Amino acid sequence: MQGERNTYLGCVIPCITKIKSAIANVTDIAPNGYGANIRRGLMNHINRRFDPILKKESFMLATALHPRFKLNWIPKEDEELASDVRRLLEQKLEELCPLDSTTNVRAQTETDDLLYIPSKATPYMNELDLFMVDPDINLESLHKYPRIKALCLRFNTALPSSAPVERLFSAGPLILTARLNRLSDEFFETLLILKIHKSV
């Protein structure tokens, strides 16, 4: 979560899930020893702190719309959650792109056929199906799915990171040394920025 790139709201649920599974899969500890108590305490604190986040619609939608995760973060046995998230995606896509009048025109032209049953498939559902089976996990793959991309941009907020600021604070003492203790504020700031951006 401290990365400067590729850290989005959709990364939160997979990150928490991986941490929980890593803690649960630690096997080389005594059943009633200190390690078991620590693991139990960690799991209780993680569940108490993050369970409300794991159930928020915005977090689930952000994760499902990220090409790297889609619905893969949902356990196979939890089919109800997978169908609920899928239903949420369809609902948000329908709100984003209401059906146009072409479906009505087609329905009117085919009313002469007695066996005609209008299809429930819509363009956004077809796009969602193609997105879900696409093996490409790069964000660039969203260019192929304009409706999914628009929805992904709405929900996948970039997470703020303090890493660049911490880097500035770490580089400060390297410039303001005992030999350079009389620098003006402006000159110190210029040297600091030059040091941080020396690769440019």
Side-chain angles (χ1 to χ4, degrees):
M1 295 298 108
Q2 282 292 316
E4 295 179 43
R5 297 181 179 178
N6 300 322
T7 52
Y8 302 99
L9 193 66
C11 300
V12 174
I13 290 180
C15 184
I16 296 169
T17 307
K18 290 291 283 184
I19 289 170
K20 286 172 68 173
S21 66
I23 293 172
N25 291 334
V26 175
T27 55
D28 55 345
I29 56 175
N32 296 319
Y34 290 113
N37 292 331
I38 292 171
R39 177 169 64 182
R40 191 162 39 251
L42 281 173
M43 290 296 284
N44 289 338
H45 284 295
I46 289 172
N47 290 333
R48 186 165 60 247
R49 171 68 179 85
F50 293 109
D51 269 357
I53 288 177
L54 297 177
K55 294 173 184 173
K56 280 191 176 181
E57 285 186 5
S58 57
F59 282 81
M60 292 192 290
L61 285 169
T63 307
L65 288 165
H66 196 292
R68 187 173 182 181
F69 308 116
K70 297 173 184 171
L71 296 178
N72 301 329
W73 54 276
I74 302 174
K76 290 183 179 178
E77 60 272 11
D78 201 348
E79 294 179 3
E80 185 178 351
L81 179 60
S83 62
D84 288 346
V85 175
R86 171 73 188 228
R87 201 175 306 113
L88 267 174
L89 284 170
E90 291 175 2
Q91 177 187 344
K92 294 298 179 184
L93 281 169
E94 190 172 358
E95 291 171 7
L96 183 70
C97 313
L99 295 179
D100 52 12
S101 58
T102 55
T103 54
N104 297 330
V105 172
R106 184 180 173 188
Q108 289 173 1
T109 55
E110 304 213 16
T111 49
D112 300 335
D113 188 1
L114 295 175
L115 298 177
Y116 172 70
I117 299 173
S119 173
K120 293 181 181 178
T122 55
Y124 68 82
M125 286 174 63
N126 295 335
E127 187 175 313
L128 183 60
D129 291 333
L130 290 171
F131 170 71
M132 287 298 172
V133 297
D134 192 347
D136 194 353
I137 64 171
N138 296 316
L139 286 172
E140 288 77 17
S141 66
L142 289 172
H143 295 308
K144 297 183 281 187
Y145 313 104
R147 297 178 180 93
I148 302 288
K149 179 183 176 182
L151 207 58
C152 183
L153 288 173
R154 178 187 293 182
F155 284 98
N156 262 300
T157 309
L159 296 175
S161 173
S162 61
V165 180
E166 291 171 5
R167 195 176 302 116
L168 279 173
F169 280 113
S170 299
L174 300 175
I175 295 170
L176 196 61
T177 60
R179 294 179 62 189
L180 299 173
N181 62 358
R182 312 278 284 179
L183 295 175
S184 66
D185 294 343
E186 293 81 8
F187 194 55
F188 170 73
E189 184 180 347
T190 304
L191 289 175
L192 184 62
I193 291 172
L194 286 171
K195 182 168 185 62
I196 291 298
H197 296 291
K198 61 184 177 184
S199 60
V200 177

